[in-house]
Structure formats: C-alpha cells, structure tokens
Amino acid sequence: MKKKWKSLWKCRIGLFLSAALLIGSFSGCGGKDGSSASGSGGAGGDDKGQAMGRFLEEEVELPIALGNIYDMKRMGNGTIRVMCSNGDNGNKEVWDSKDGGKTWEKAYDLPAEIQDTDDGYVDYAKLSSDGQAVCGYNKIADGGITPILYLVDQTGSGKFLPFELPAYEGDTRNSSFDTEGAYDYNTMSTEGKSVNAGEDQSENPEEDQPEENPDKAQPEENPDEAQPEGEKEAKTGNLIVDLQFLGNDQVILQDMNSTIYQISTADGSVKQKYECSETTGGIRQVYVAGKNLVLISYTDIRVYDTETGEQKSTEETLQENVLDHENISAIDTLNEGESIYYLTRGGLYHYKFGGSIMEQMIDGGMNSLGAPAFYPMALAMIDEENLLVAANDANSDSPTGIVILKYTYSPDTPAKPDKEIKVYSLYNNRELGQSISRFQKEHTDIYVNYQVAISEENGLTVSDALKTLTTEIMAGKGPDLLLLDGMPVETYIEKGILKNLSSVIEKEDDYFGSILKAYQDKEGQLYAVPARFFIPMIHAKEAYYSQGEDFNTFTERKDVFVNMDPESVVEKFWYSCGAAWKKEDGTLDESKITEFLTRLKNAYGEYDNSKDQEEDGIYVASDIGGFDEIKRTSLDYGNFELAYGRLNTNIGLYGGMDYGMLKAVSEKLGDAVLDQMPGQAENVFVPAMIVGISSKSAQPEAAEELAKYLFSSEAQKVSQSGGFPVEKEAFRSVIDGHQYEGKESMRMVEIGGTSLEEPLSYDMVPTPEEEIQKLTDLAELLTTPALRDDVIKEAVIEQGEKVLKGEISPEEGTKALMQKVNIYLAE
C-alpha cells in the first residue's frame, strides 16, 4: 500500500514541475536559407540569379526507441551525447555518436540509485560539454519530496551534491499533493509506475498542450485502496524547475521561487544568486551560452554575466525576435557564447550578443520546426552547416513520438523552392499546418506560404477579411488553395471563384459520401470538399432530454440551459438550425429565424444580470479560445460542469472520440443520454477544413497536389482536435483508442471545469467495437451540412444574445438580423 502511495506522489510532483515548464517552453544578413529577420539576404546564386543553399531535414535512427530526451550535447571532442530514457523499459541511459548521428553506442546507464523507483525519480537532467551529467532527483521519503542534485561523471559514476533549496515562498495550495494544482497536464499511472511530462512521452504531446486541452490531469492510485490519514494533506517543499550546466564545473538551477542559483559542482556552494521573482509574468526559460545566463520572461529577456552576477545591456534585437515568436525552445553555441543559435516556431536563428543583426538560418515553415505538433527539446550544433534537433513530434512515425532530426546545409538546393503555393484560411488550422509540414518534406520543390487572416492580435473582422480576399482574387493576386471554413461557399461556387476538385478524390468509397459531397452542384461537380467534420451533440440526464427528442419538444422544457452563457447557446444551436433557414434563392427564411429565437428564449427563461459581473463559472465559458470557434463550441468544454451538476445539459460540436471521458461523465450522471443535438434541421454535420482551389490560381497543378495530399490517409490521420477525418480508415484510427492497446492498467484522473477539486477518473482502454460502430453508423447517417458563413453567424449571435438576455424581442432580433444579412448578401 505504501509502495503505491509513493509512486503516486512521484508522478504528481513530476507533473507539477513539468507543467510549470511546459507553460513556458513551448512554445541577418546572409541567412543560409536566403532569409533574414533583419538585414539583406546573402545566399549564393546560380548562373540564372536564383538564390541557392538550404538546410535539408532527415530523421536520425537510434538503436532504441526513445521514451524521452533529457538533453543532447556536442562535447568538446565532437562526440554527440544524448541522455534519454529507453522507450521499451524506462531505463535512463546515455548514448554517444562520433559521426554526427549516423551510428550510436551506449556510453552507460545512469547509476541505479537514481533510476526511477518508488523511492524517487529524475525529473530534469543536463549534460556538460565534457560529458558530465547533472540530474535533479526527487527523493520520496517521510511524507514528502526532497529535491537533490546528483552529479554523474563521464563514465557513469555519480555522487550527490551537498546543496539544499530554501523553503517555497509561494501559494501552498499550488504545492500540495491534492488535486488543486492549477496547471495543465495529462498523466497516466500504471500499476505503481507512472508516465509524466518529465519522463517517457509515448502519447500524443498535442493532448498535453494548454491550447488544446483545458482540463487538468493527475494520476490516481488504486481506487479500492484508501490513503492513510495524514498522508492526503502532505505538502511539497521547494522544487527544481530547471537545470543547466555552466561550463564544466558549475550548475545553474531555477527553483519555484523564481530564484536562479549558480552552484559549484565541487562542493555545492552558491557562487551567484539571481532574484527574479519581480519579473512580470515570472521566468519562463533559463539558458546558458558560454558565460552568459539568458533569462526569458513574458515581457523581456535579461542577460547576465555569470562571472560578476551583473545584468548586461538589453539585447533589443534578440528580445524583439524572441518575443515575436513567443519563446525559445533550445539554444546552443559554437564559440563559447559570443553568439547563439536558437530555435523558435520561426525556425533556426543565429545572433551575436551586442549586435543588431538577426540571421535566420532555417525557415521553420519549410520543415518540421514550424509544425504545430513539433516541440524541440534540445539543439546540438555540430558545425555551422550541420545540426541535430531532439523533439517531441506527435505526428512522427516514431512509436513514442520522440525523434532526433538532422539538418544539413545543401549549397546546391535552391534557397526557396521553385514553386510557391499560397494557402489562405480565416482562422489558424492546426491540421493544415501539420499537413503542410509533412507535404513539404515530400515535395522539396514546393514552398507552401500559409496565410491566416484573423488572429487575436490583428482584430480583423470576418467581413473585412472576406472583402480583402475577394478583391485580391479578382485581381489575380489571391491564394491558390483556400480553407473555406466561415466563408460563403455556395456564393463562391456560383461566381466561379473555385476550381472543380472532382479529380482530387480518387476512391469515393473510401470516404463518408454525404460529407464529401456536401457542396456538390447539380451537375455532380465538387468545387469545395470538407476534409473534416463535426457532429452537433447533446449529453444530458434523461430528466432533461430523451433520445431522439426534436427541437420543439426540447425547447418546451425549462432549466435545460441553466448556467449557460446566452452567446454560447445561440452559437451552438446556429449549427443545428441554420441549415433550415436557407431558401432556394439563397435568402434566409425570416419566419424560421423568428421561431429559432422564440424557442431558445422560451427554454432559456429569465437572464440573471448578476452573472455579467462573475469572473468564474460556466457563464464565461464562451470567452475560452477567443476567436477559435473549435474551442468555444466544443462539447468537451462542458464535461465537468455537466458531471458535477452545474449544467443540466451539455451541448456542442463533437469532433474526436474521447471514450473514457464520455463514459466517466455518463457514469457520474447515472442515467445519461448522448445523442445528436436537436435542431430545426435533421442529421446535421458541420463541414470543416473545407478545401477549395481558386479558379485564378497561379499554381493550379501544385495546389491540386496539396489538395490530394490533404485527403490522403496520412494527412487524414493527423489529429489536432479539428474534427473527424472524412476518410473512413482515418476516422476509425482517430476514434478507436489504439494507442492504449496493451496498457489497460493505465488510469486517468482529470481535473477541470470551474472547480479544481472535482476529478473524473477513467481507464485508458481502447474504444469498444460497439462504440466505434455506433459512431461510424451515425457518421453514415449525416446528410445536412450546417451553414458555414461566419458573417451571417455573427449577426445571428449578436441579435440572439440580446434576445436571450431580454433586451429585445425575438421579432426585433429577427428584423435587425435580416437587415444586416440582406445588405451582406446583396454585396
């Protein structure tokens, strides 16, 4: 019993640390790729004047499956050393390559006393340039966790360093081992052994990112065994949240107090201490380059001289570039810190301290570095033209998702591919971004320029974005391929803006036919094709909804929208009702809209104005995700509120099978119903990632090649919460839970919603065949595409919210809505 309790603590504290770092770490003149952040390009050219030279990417093979990579370092003798966990057995190991990553041999296993056991575990570890390793070992004993520094020499022998952290000065709630830690993470415990973000990462890392999953997860001990009294309330102390080597004889350590310690490896004494708790937003990242200590916060970058402890002058060029890309994911140097190479979403950059030029060496948009599900862990510069990147890549072919990629400069490859495809969408689409990254690997002669119109930063409206887009298309300057989500698809087809895509789909039987042909015209031609789709769903107790209940019956009920934000209600029912409003002439049926608003108001009842002042609760749920409709409308976001009784019904768009979570919610309810959401239209699906090619495309053949790839099995299996794949094989792969096969002992406890004290636990098991078939049969029945015109949707939400709040009548709302929409349709 005690043994399992210790393991539980190990996993929880490991996640506490890892989550704190994950929140921050995820995220020139003469650039090798011919691009620069400042200055002018300086790549070589051929006899035709074309800029030449580009880094090419390839995956490095190791003799073992990598469970995690703690660090990767080029040592002084040129050897590349990797400290990792073995994906097959969890053993912590060190491997060397003396030929730039071509071949590898094991150097040693980490000492047995710091291998993961129920008595403790390694959470963070770093390598020095002479091959030493320093590990942050969390010792579990006496009802708590004690962080210890452990130094390993070049041959694998080790010793503990005499260094002790001071007490944690922050909110003790965040350091407790109960379920109150306000962080975002997913963890699985398996028979006393645990997998967390600081250890083996064999699952999809995208599921662990704050922007994709708002719920908090913790491991659960055996529910049949009760914890001893007194142990439930145990607290952590201060903890190590980052480690770096400084030279070969000092260590940089960051603790939970945002204090940075410069520690001698000889005796554990503190040489310098950097107090950073006053930094706005706290320190997100700590890096060492030569004798420079680089601290990155949410608002600035500070560079310190580690010999004096003094802060240096602000590096304006570095600060501007890094903050523009949100953060740095890895750093290395080739000249003892005079300059640095670093990775961001934008690619690889080179910067000389004290300079004003930022050199972009690699454009992340042309390889994996800029892919949404690619998270670098370490960078090892072999020389100026060769480098290795260790990363967690959710969509790699690696069984664990952990990879090492090599980038080699090719002077004979064009700096930029000969062909450029312009791709456009109103909103950022993660599946598209990931697919573009893979597509460019296979098509090195094509550069995909992905442009997103609307972001939280630019404040552009849908209407303004579409006006600009139409103008550019008509002038022959528009994109080649469009994602038509939120756009007037039918209008574009009627005006001849889109090219026939019938040849893109080679085997129609491999896809859900009704969804694939959502925009098929009377002649059977396809000018716009959804690559994904959502299903409007309702999850509720039988007291508030009956299987197959229609819209009229449902909206006669009272209390079905308790604690729901009016804007959220209107937006979600727009998807299940809007398709019924469209008349044959393209105009909207005014009577249907009035009925829609009247029935929603009847079911909603009186609006509680005091909720406008509340800063917690489900009433503010519509603000989640900002302009990202997937986050705002997802069924997932009401799971906890429904399970714990703050919602009587949960409605939203369903675009990915989370069987364990849905089952846990249903079991909590006791008499749950999961069904298609009622609406004025029947068998509705929401087309997503709607692909179209401009009839005025400058690169129609290349654009068609990309479109074909988006419907390939490989691209369809990319899953970033953007909807179900339209291809049947990929659809099954996304919902069947195959990643949990052979791991039936895993159990998940997720904590979320408006209270961090309410867990939902479930087994991590493959989805039962019965449930797979049930969802597949439902997908086959879907026949009615929801309206996807966001200009109309915004007008509906604007007036619908006023109606539900009682500010105007349904008739007044309809009139105002129709005036705005009629002007838009006439343009």
Side-chain angles (χ1 to χ4, degrees):
M1 192 0 219
K2 185 77 170 177
K3 180 177 180 180
K4 287 192 175 183
W5 176 78
K6 286 181 179 179
S7 183
L8 168 66
W9 276 37
K10 160 193 161 178
C11 198
R12 285 182 173 174
I13 194 61
L15 272 185
F16 180 92
L17 284 171
S18 301
L21 286 188
L22 282 174
I23 290 171
S25 62
F26 286 146
S27 279
C29 185
K32 289 283 187 186
D33 276 345
S35 57
S36 61
S38 176
S40 58
D46 62 9
D47 55 5
K48 296 180 181 179
Q50 182 181 24
M52 302 295 290
R54 177 165 30 125
F55 281 88
L56 301 180
E57 175 185 292
E58 62 179 320
E59 189 165 337
V60 173
E61 293 187 9
L62 272 80
I64 62 169
L66 295 167
N68 187 34
I69 294 180
Y70 291 95
D71 199 13
M72 178 173 63
K73 195 82 172 179
R74 176 183 56 83
M75 296 192 292
N77 61 5
T79 297
I80 301 297
R81 174 159 286 190
V82 171
M83 181 163 43
C84 62
S85 63
N86 189 312
D88 295 324
N89 56 30
N91 193 49
K92 304 296 183 285
E93 305 171 356
V94 173
W95 288 76
D96 288 345
S97 174
K98 297 181 179 180
D99 52 13
K102 293 180 182 179
T103 60
W104 296 83
E105 59 183 17
K106 184 191 285 190
Y108 58 81
D109 293 326
L110 289 186
E113 59 187 332
I114 59 169
Q115 292 286 348
D116 288 359
T117 68
D118 294 326
D119 296 323
Y121 63 99
V122 171
D123 206 3
Y124 304 102
K126 292 293 180 180
L127 294 165
S128 69
S129 60
D130 68 351
Q132 298 178 83
V134 63
C135 302
Y137 180 76
N138 286 340
K139 182 177 178 60
I140 304 172
D142 302 324
I145 297 291
T146 302
I148 300 172
L149 283 180
Y150 192 91
L151 187 68
V152 183
D153 67 20
Q154 293 87 341
T155 63
S157 299
K159 64 178 182 179
F160 289 103
L161 291 180
F163 172 80
E164 184 175 344
L165 283 174
Y168 176 50
E169 299 171 0
D171 183 356
T172 57
R173 188 189 84 158
N174 286 345
S175 63
S176 69
F177 283 109
D178 57 20
T179 57
E180 294 182 338
Y183 292 91
D184 190 326
Y185 37 72
N186 290 307
T187 301
M188 293 147 285
S189 71
T190 168
E191 300 179 339
K193 296 290 286 186
S194 303
V195 181
N196 63 51
E199 298 177 332
D200 296 351
Q201 301 185 28
S202 60
E203 303 303 323
N204 187 338
E206 272 312 297
E207 296 174 1
D208 297 335
Q209 303 312 312
E211 61 182 2
E212 289 297 309
N213 182 0
D215 302 324
K216 320 302 181 210
Q218 299 241 12
E220 180 184 84
E221 64 178 332
N222 190 327
D224 295 327
E225 297 183 12
Q227 274 186 329
E229 286 299 315
E231 294 179 347
K232 292 181 181 178
E233 301 301 322
K235 306 291 182 181
T236 72
N238 198 0
L239 298 169
I240 299 169
V241 298
D242 202 0
L243 278 176
Q244 301 283 334
F245 253 106
L246 174 62
N248 297 318
D249 57 1
Q250 295 184 77
V251 171
I252 296 293
L253 180 153
Q254 180 187 2
D255 72 355
M256 290 171 59
N257 296 322
S258 287
T259 300
I260 314 296
Y261 298 90
Q262 187 174 320
I263 304 164
S264 169
T265 59
D267 56 11
S269 61
V270 176
K271 301 301 182 182
Q272 303 284 358
K273 188 165 70 171
Y274 308 85
E275 301 285 354
C276 305
S277 58
E278 82 285 357
T279 302
T280 303
I283 295 298
R284 293 196 294 167
Q285 297 166 292
V286 177
Y287 292 106
V288 171
K291 297 177 182 179
N292 294 311
L293 175 64
V294 182
L295 306 183
I296 303 174
S297 76
Y298 285 94
T299 58
D300 66 2
I301 293 179
R302 303 181 183 187
V303 181
Y304 291 85
D305 184 332
T306 56
E307 291 190 331
T308 65
E310 298 295 321
Q311 183 177 349
K312 293 186 173 183
S313 300
T314 301
E315 301 284 346
E316 297 286 354
T317 302
L318 177 65
Q319 180 167 287
E320 180 180 354
N321 179 264
V322 172
L323 296 183
D324 281 348
H325 290 96
E326 297 183 354
N327 56 41
I328 288 175
S329 52
I331 275 181
D332 198 9
T333 181
L334 288 172
N335 52 15
E336 298 183 350
E338 291 184 18
S339 65
I340 56 173
Y341 294 85
Y342 66 88
L343 295 171
T344 73
R345 283 283 185 221
L348 177 72
Y349 293 86
H350 180 227
Y351 175 73
K352 183 175 182 180
F353 286 107
S356 59
I357 301 299
M358 181 64 65
E359 182 182 14
Q360 184 179 28
M361 307 294 292
I362 302 177
D363 181 353
M366 298 169 67
N367 45 63
S368 296
L369 296 178
F374 188 84
Y375 301 98
M377 299 170 168
L379 167 66
M381 297 296 301
I382 299 172
D383 53 45
E384 291 182 347
E385 298 187 348
N386 296 274
L387 60 133
L388 296 176
V389 176
N392 195 332
D393 184 359
N395 291 300
S396 72
D397 295 327
S398 165
T400 62
I402 308 300
V403 296
I404 296 178
L405 300 181
K406 185 173 184 178
Y407 293 85
T408 303
Y409 184 68
S410 172
D412 300 324
T413 302
K416 194 172 183 179
D418 299 330
K419 302 174 186 176
E420 178 178 342
I421 307 174
K422 295 179 182 178
V423 177
Y424 177 98
S425 66
L426 286 177
Y427 314 103
N428 185 45
N429 185 287
R430 293 177 63 84
E431 273 86 359
L432 178 60
Q434 189 69 35
S435 296
I436 286 173
S437 176
R438 286 190 165 195
F439 176 80
Q440 289 188 142
K441 283 186 182 181
E442 299 172 11
H443 299 79
T444 57
D445 61 329
I446 299 176
Y447 174 66
V448 182
N449 181 0
Y450 180 28
Q451 302 168 344
V452 178
I454 300 174
S455 68
E456 290 177 312
E457 290 76 25
N458 64 26
L460 193 65
T461 66
V462 174
S463 180
D464 289 342
L466 292 180
K467 287 177 183 177
T468 301
L469 173 63
T470 301
T471 299
E472 290 181 349
I473 290 175
M474 291 302 148
K477 300 179 181 178
D480 299 290
L481 185 145
L482 302 92
L483 278 202
L484 298 160
D485 301 39
M487 302 185 195
V489 181
E490 291 89 347
T491 301
Y492 285 0
I493 294 173
E494 291 170 3
K495 291 185 176 181
I497 290 177
L498 302 176
K499 181 180 180 291
N500 187 352
L501 291 181
S502 298
S503 62
V504 167
I505 307 300
E506 297 178 349
K507 296 181 181 179
E508 289 188 8
D509 290 344
D510 291 346
Y511 304 84
F512 292 110
S514 295
I515 297 168
L516 192 73
K517 299 176 182 179
Y519 300 103
Q520 187 177 56
D521 68 5
K522 295 178 181 179
E523 285 73 40
Q525 304 301 312
L526 297 175
Y527 290 90
V529 186
R532 312 262 165 182
F533 67 98
F534 291 92
I535 308 174
M537 299 287 283
I538 182 169
H539 200 186
K541 274 194 170 188
E542 289 182 355
Y544 297 99
Y545 178 81
S546 299
Q547 193 81 30
E549 188 169 299
D550 63 24
F551 183 63
N552 290 355
T553 303
F554 178 71
T555 52
E556 287 298 323
R557 294 177 179 270
K558 304 299 180 184
D559 299 327
V560 290
F561 296 142
V562 167
N563 286 330
M564 284 194 192
D565 172 48
E567 179 182 348
S568 176
V569 171
V570 175
E571 181 172 16
K572 291 174 181 179
F573 273 97
W574 143 265
Y575 288 110
S576 67
C577 294
W581 308 345
K582 200 75 174 285
K583 297 193 292 188
E584 289 188 7
D585 62 0
T587 60
L588 301 184
D589 188 327
E590 190 169 342
S591 64
K592 288 283 189 181
I593 297 174
T594 302
E595 178 189 22
F596 168 78
L597 294 176
T598 301
R599 290 196 170 278
L600 287 187
K601 176 57 181 173
N602 176 70
Y604 195 85
E606 293 300 316
Y607 177 70
D608 184 356
N609 291 299
S610 66
K611 297 295 184 179
D612 288 335
Q613 279 71 51
E614 291 189 7
E615 295 184 357
D616 58 5
I618 197 65
Y619 262 80
V620 297
S622 64
D623 292 334
I624 295 174
F627 61 89
D628 188 337
E629 67 173 339
I630 292 175
K631 292 184 178 182
R632 289 197 312 266
T633 59
S634 173
L635 186 74
D636 294 342
Y637 278 77
N639 281 330
F640 286 90
E641 320 312 320
L642 177 65
Y644 284 94
R646 286 184 293 277
L647 290 180
N648 291 334
T649 63
N650 181 26
I651 54 176
L653 301 186
Y654 188 37
M657 171 66 94
D658 190 347
Y659 170 72
M661 171 59 80
L662 288 176
K663 183 182 178 184
V665 175
S666 292
E667 289 175 347
K668 189 78 175 175
L669 296 177
D671 56 351
V673 179
L674 179 65
D675 195 13
Q676 290 184 75
M677 201 169 118
Q680 290 170 295
E682 296 183 353
N683 295 322
V684 175
F685 65 91
V686 180
M689 199 171 168
I690 308 166
V691 178
I693 294 178
S694 171
S695 58
K696 295 181 179 293
S697 169
Q699 296 284 351
E701 293 181 359
E704 187 169 314
E705 193 71 25
L706 175 57
K708 284 183 178 180
Y709 178 75
L710 295 177
F711 289 92
S712 69
S713 181
E714 180 179 76
Q716 286 279 294
K717 289 178 181 177
V718 172
S719 181
Q720 303 286 322
S721 302
F724 293 117
V726 70
E727 193 218 36
K728 294 177 182 178
E729 179 187 341
F731 176 84
R732 181 182 177 88
S733 175
V734 167
I735 70 172
D736 65 8
H738 62 274
Q739 64 269 33
Y740 304 130
E741 290 179 0
K743 303 176 182 178
E744 284 74 9
S745 58
M746 289 184 176
R747 188 163 178 83
M748 175 76 80
V749 179
E750 293 198 27
I751 303 167
T754 57
S755 173
L756 294 175
E757 299 178 352
E758 299 170 341
L760 284 173
S761 63
Y762 53 90
D763 294 326
M764 307 289 283
V765 297
T767 307
E769 187 62 35
E770 178 185 357
E771 298 298 325
I772 295 173
Q773 192 60 50
K774 189 184 299 184
L775 190 58
T776 304
D777 291 343
L778 174 57
E780 295 279 11
L781 291 174
L782 303 175
T783 55
T784 307
L787 289 184
R788 292 307 318 266
D789 191 324
D790 277 6
V791 174
I792 298 177
K793 185 183 81 169
E794 288 180 351
V796 172
I797 294 172
E798 179 185 5
Q799 300 306 319
E801 182 181 12
K802 293 178 182 178
V803 171
L804 266 59
K805 286 184 173 182
E807 298 172 3
I808 58 176
S809 69
E811 292 76 16
E812 291 171 327
T814 301
K815 183 178 180 180
L817 187 160
M818 291 300 294
Q819 287 178 340
K820 184 171 184 178
V821 170
N822 286 336
I823 293 173
Y824 163 68
L825 293 176
E827 292 177 346

